[in-house]
Amino acid sequence: MPGNKNIKLYSKNLSFFYGNNQAVFDVSIEIPQHSIVAMIGPSGCGKTTFLRCFNRMHDLYPGNRYQGEIFFDNQNILSKNIDVTLLRSKIGMVFQKPTPFPMSISDNISYGLKLNGIKNKTEIKDRVESALRSSALWKEVKDRLKLPATGLSGGQQQRLVIARALAVEPQVMLFDEPTSALDPISTSKIEELAAELKKKVTIIIVTHNMQQAARISDYTAFMYMGKLIEYDETNVMFTNPQEKLSEDYITGRFG
Amino acid sequence: MKQVKTTNFGDRFFSFFTFCAAMVVLVSLAGIFISLIFESWESLSRFGFFNFIFTDDWNPVKEVFGAAIPLVGTFITTILALLIAIPISLGIAVFITEICPSKLKAPLSIAIELLAAIPSIIYGMWGLFTFAPIMSEYIEPGLQFVFGDIPFIGPIFQGTPLGIDVLTASIVLSIMIIPFISSIARDTILLTPQVLKESAYSIGTTEWEVIKDVILPYSKFGIYGGIIIALGRALGETMAVAFVLGNRHAFPTSFFDATSTITVTLANEFTEADSNLYMSSLYLLSLLLFVISFIVLSFAKFIVHKGSKKWNG
Ligand SMILES: Nc1ncnc2c1ncn2[C@@H]1O[C@H](COP(=O)(O)OP(=O)(O)OP(=O)(O)O)[C@@H](O)[C@H]1O
Ligand SMILES: [Mg+2]
């Protein structure tokens, strides 16, 4: 569908099972590089489940099963011999609720760097700063880097978490309703941030907020009961959806 | 907080009852403290507080009593027991919560709680009849063989390994307190939000790194709380230690020396105390233990409270 753009990530006939309970049905989708793809759909339709396939988060729990393929830079990341830890450092994720680690602000960010083998103190310091700058948090926290991250406001914590994910230089970022717990000002800061980030990374964002999807995304995917119903450029999707279901959902007739 | 005034008789009776129940605690605490002071007064006025603490002689015949040896014995066994118990307990807690297959979880947790339910005298008897012989025949000679000739630490592995000594007592004590630390550690580890662990995984950490850098720091203050409870237990534990420490009034210079603790002295000598001064000195020892426990526990609680407020919001 997204023309002849460079495809960073795509799934082919992806299904997902929680034990015997199938939550994603045969989804094929292409994610173009340096774009923002919004996933919308009613609660329980499988957006989170689908998103978490891309960094194999489901591997953490027993009984979960993938079927089909996901290609990331033309490598099937669902295959057995993939280094999941390495994969996750390339495909970052931000959750609904901010999750700062129980450490200081700067340690929250330097932690991932140290894991990736960066030991040089000045390099760490520089990269902490640049990560905080790129998540538009630097000005607010530069005088309190050594203080506990739990002391930040919810919006600041969420931007810290984004900075933390960015510090390890992922190529893809997965956002699962990143602003649903935040106030409008923090929300718009994070939306601006996403627009800025797409120069560097490819973004998939799950959102319940139709305006948000329309504002920031290039493509929108509508899911319903575990299936991908429609996937198109965002402006087409919101002005001229092809499927009746998508139209009903977008115009608020159900959801 | 402002009390809500109520006119209902049942309510008033009930709140009066709970008030009385709560007062029982304060009254008994104060009562015990006062009677300890009262009973130990003779010894206290004879030797003086600091003199009592620093005197390393405990001689009922000459009527000279000093607490230095039991004090040191108490601290050494407590600290050693904690040093042994903390890593093992954390290992147990991490294993149960993060690593072991879900079928094993419940049986293991129950086994650990049962360990806590065993009366301490049983630990003492087991220590004396089963564990001490094993220590003296196999473990202690082995330790002596390995560490005995190393400079600096060699001397603390000297002496005849009889099995009734500081090391055996500390190990028995550590087994006793492991259930406290590990079950509290398990409970607090379980409180670590799933999404926090997931976000650590999501930047590419391994399971071990998540345990070490996220789960343990997050549950740190709960774990400290468990350690405090264990500390209180270890300071005051009597029966488990009495059988395997020896009640010898001399400073230990090696792991294989017998010595005494405050509680062991008390347990062994209350029936023998034939003079008022002797009895009063034993009371002074108990007063000392009371005060130490109180100070150590309140200090530890204070630290935990301050720390958890700062880091966990
Ligand atoms: N851990 C789980 N085990 C079993 N079933 C699950 C689990 N998590 C989700 N499901 C089921 O999978 C389906 C999809 O859930 P999912 O959380 O992906 O929906 P969602 O679109 O993200 O919803 P929301 O908008 O409310 O976040 C639902 O029917 C849900 O009940
Ligand atoms: Mg969801």
Side-chain angles (χ1 to χ4, degrees):
Chain A
M1 181 275 321
N4 47 11
K5 285 223 173 180
N6 205 352
I7 302 302
K8 184 72 186 168
L9 196 63
Y10 66 97
S11 71
K12 239 172 104 180
N13 305 108
L14 180 70
S15 294
F16 181 82
F17 303 80
Y18 291 109
N20 293 324
N21 179 11
Q22 184 167 5
V24 171
F25 293 81
D26 209 27
V27 172
S28 299
I29 193 170
E30 296 180 338
I31 314 289
Q33 190 160 23
H34 299 306
S35 61
I36 299 182
V37 173
M39 312 273 323
I40 59 171
S43 185
C45 72
K47 306 178 294 294
T48 298
T49 307
F50 180 67
L51 196 70
R52 288 159 64 94
C53 294
F54 288 97
N55 63 351
R56 300 263 304 258
M57 207 41 115
H58 296 299
D59 287 24
L60 295 178
Y61 307 97
N64 292 344
R65 189 160 56 84
Y66 313 87
Q67 206 176 69
E69 292 160 308
I70 296 176
F71 286 92
F72 171 54
D73 285 342
N74 297 316
Q75 195 180 18
N76 181 8
I77 58 173
L78 294 184
S79 80
K80 285 235 155 39
N81 49 17
I82 282 284
D83 177 353
V84 180
T85 306
L86 184 67
L87 172 74
R88 292 192 187 128
S89 69
K90 291 185 190 161
I91 302 189
M93 182 171 236
V94 172
F95 300 80
Q96 186 169 352
K97 270 175 64 189
T99 52
F101 296 149
M103 314 168 178
S104 72
I105 293 171
S106 65
D107 285 349
N108 256 278
I109 295 169
S110 59
Y111 178 62
L113 298 173
K114 287 176 190 153
L115 288 184
N116 281 282
I118 299 169
K119 296 207 178 69
N120 183 310
K121 282 224 172 87
T122 28
E123 183 179 359
I124 289 182
K125 214 170 140 241
D126 291 346
R127 285 181 61 169
V128 166
E129 176 172 343
S130 83
L132 285 169
R133 280 190 194 283
S134 50
S135 71
L137 194 58
W138 174 250
K139 285 203 190 96
E140 289 155 68
V141 302
K142 66 172 190 285
D143 301 319
R144 48 202 279 211
L145 292 175
K146 293 284 166 242
L147 294 183
T150 39
L152 296 173
S153 77
Q156 290 172 325
Q157 288 186 8
Q158 194 65 309
R159 277 179 285 144
L160 177 69
V161 169
I162 295 173
R164 180 176 74 195
L166 290 175
V168 293
E169 300 188 335
Q171 300 166 19
V172 176
M173 287 282 282
L174 310 170
F175 288 92
D176 191 356
E177 302 186 41
T179 61
S180 66
L182 303 183
D183 62 285
I185 292 174
S186 305
T187 298
S188 70
K189 278 193 179 151
I190 286 181
E191 288 179 6
E192 285 165 27
L193 183 56
E196 187 64 29
L197 285 180
K198 94 177 171 180
K199 291 176 195 156
K200 286 189 273 183
V201 297
T202 304
I203 294 175
I204 309 181
I205 178 169
V206 170
T207 176
H208 271 288
N209 180 335
M210 237 41 81
Q211 285 78 31
Q212 183 168 65
R215 270 196 304 267
I216 65 173
S217 70
D218 303 299
Y219 302 94
T220 298
F222 171 64
M223 282 184 79
Y224 184 65
M225 290 177 68
K227 299 193 179 75
L228 179 64
I229 304 296
E230 190 170 353
Y231 178 42
D232 212 327
E233 286 180 25
T234 297
N235 54 7
V236 178
M237 191 77 161
F238 280 90
T239 52
N240 186 20
Q242 303 300 303
E243 300 286 333
K244 175 105 183 30
L245 266 175
S246 344
E247 184 179 346
D248 286 353
Y249 183 71
I250 288 164
T251 53
R253 245 164 275 172
F254 79 96
Chain B
M1 197 177 26
K2 210 161 175 232
Q3 288 289 315
V4 180
K5 280 267 187 299
T6 167
T7 46
N8 180 307
F9 174 75
D11 275 2
R12 269 167 49 198
F13 175 78
F14 189 69
S15 64
F16 179 69
F17 172 74
T18 53
F19 171 76
C20 290
M23 286 315 284
V24 169
V25 177
L26 285 182
V27 170
S28 10
L29 198 67
I32 291 172
F33 186 64
I34 290 167
S35 55
L36 282 180
I37 291 185
F38 186 75
E39 297 285 353
S40 60
W41 193 254
E42 185 176 342
S43 175
L44 198 56
S45 51
R46 171 78 166 270
F47 302 115
F49 185 68
F50 288 101
N51 193 26
F52 183 73
I53 291 180
F54 290 112
T55 302
D56 61 0
D57 204 7
W58 184 269
N59 192 333
V61 181
K62 281 194 266 167
E63 297 229 301
V64 180
F65 297 102
I69 288 165
L71 259 181
V72 168
T74 301
F75 281 118
I76 290 181
T77 48
T78 301
I79 290 169
L80 270 181
L82 284 176
L83 286 182
I84 300 167
I86 290 171
I88 295 177
S89 308
L90 291 186
I92 293 173
V94 166
F95 182 77
I96 290 182
T97 49
E98 300 295 318
I99 296 165
C100 95
S102 44
K103 274 186 207 134
L104 256 176
K105 270 182 191 169
L108 257 178
S109 302
I110 292 170
I112 285 164
E113 260 138 44
L114 282 180
L115 212 54
I118 298 176
S120 62
I121 188 150
I122 296 180
Y123 280 98
M125 289 173 62
W126 171 80
L128 178 64
F129 293 118
T130 311
F131 189 58
I134 296 177
M135 286 297 283
S136 77
E137 244 172 84
Y138 305 104
I139 300 176
E140 293 181 348
L143 287 174
Q144 206 161 43
F145 179 75
V146 175
F147 297 107
D149 295 327
I150 298 177
F152 301 115
I153 63 163
I156 55 177
F157 291 94
Q158 293 308 325
T160 321
L162 291 175
I164 306 290
D165 51 37
V166 171
L167 186 62
T168 308
S170 306
I171 293 178
V172 172
L173 201 51
S174 75
I175 298 174
M176 273 203 64
I177 60 178
I178 279 173
F180 293 95
I181 307 180
S182 59
S183 63
I184 292 175
R186 180 201 59 197
D187 292 346
T188 49
I189 287 175
L190 282 177
L191 290 180
T192 314
Q194 200 60 37
V195 63
L196 193 65
K197 294 189 226 168
E198 287 185 357
S199 54
Y201 282 114
S202 77
I203 56 171
T205 52
T206 60
E207 187 170 16
W208 162 239
E209 287 158 351
V210 171
I211 291 171
K212 172 170 69 79
D213 300 322
V214 176
I215 297 178
L216 288 182
Y218 186 85
S219 28
K220 166 165 82 179
F221 295 104
I223 293 170
Y224 292 164
I227 294 175
I228 292 174
I229 292 181
L231 177 67
R233 247 340 257 267
L235 276 177
E237 179 47 42
T238 310
M239 275 350 227
V241 199
F243 283 76
V244 287
L245 188 59
N247 197 28
R248 168 176 158 253
H249 277 282
F251 288 119
T253 56
S254 139
F255 282 144
F256 308 147
D257 278 347
T259 183
S260 193
T261 67
I262 295 180
T263 53
V264 168
T265 307
L266 293 176
N268 279 304
E269 300 186 22
F270 252 118
T271 47
E272 295 167 9
D274 42 15
S275 73
N276 285 343
L277 185 64
Y278 195 176
M279 200 61 172
S280 179
S281 300
L282 288 174
Y283 268 110
L284 190 50
L285 267 187
S286 354
L287 180 64
L288 205 55
L289 184 60
F290 185 94
V291 171
I292 291 172
S293 305
F294 188 78
I295 292 174
V296 168
L297 291 192
S298 0
F299 183 69
K301 275 226 158 90
F302 172 74
I303 300 275
V304 170
H305 182 72
K306 243 184 106 174
S308 68
K309 250 181 138 169
K310 182 170 172 211
W311 287 93
N312 293 350

